[in-house]
């Protein structure tokens, strides 16, 4: 990616994709706090507007939200 986009991105998470609000190269996992490069972003919640590093983090967030 271009060095101009090296910071944290702000995204609007949709049900099947996302829209970039502020450019960047990564987002932060809402569960683990780890950086997720946008080219590896596969899990998020449109309802909670959160990104997750993997399926396990996504499930943990779902369980917490539905407890």
């Amino acid at each position: 990616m271009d060095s101009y986009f090296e910071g944290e991105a702000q995204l609007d998470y949709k049900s099947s994709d996302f829209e970039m609000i502020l450019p960047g190269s990564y987002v932060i996992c809402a569960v683990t706090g780890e950086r997720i490069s946008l080219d590896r972003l596969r899990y998020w919640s449109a309802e909670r507007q959160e990104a997750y590093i993997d399926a396990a983090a996504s499930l943990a967030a779902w369980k917490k939200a539905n407890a």
Side-chain angles (χ1 to χ4, degrees), residues 6-8 25-30 32-38 40-41 51-53:
E6 287 184 3
E8 183 177 355
S25 61
Y26 67 90
V27 292
I28 302 295
C29 176
T32 67
E34 295 176 71
R35 286 185 180 188
I36 310 164
S37 66
L38 295 185
R40 294 182 169 258
L41 179 60
Y52 310 113
I53 193 119

Side-chain angles (χ1 to χ4, degrees), residues 4-14 17-28 36-38 41 44 49-51:
Y4 176 76
F5 299 111
E6 287 184 3
E8 183 177 355
Q10 281 191 329
L11 306 178
D12 180 16
Y13 300 99
K14 312 286 187 185
D17 63 356
F18 54 83
E19 179 181 333
M20 190 171 298
I21 304 302
L22 289 175
S25 61
Y26 67 90
V27 292
I28 302 295
I36 310 164
S37 66
L38 295 185
L41 179 60
W44 62 82
Q49 290 295 295
E50 297 177 335

Side-chain angles (χ1 to χ4, degrees), residues 31 48 52 54-66:
V31 173
R48 292 183 299 279
Y52 310 113
D54 56 22
S58 177
L59 179 59
W62 181 86
K63 285 180 178 180
K64 182 178 179 182
N66 292 286

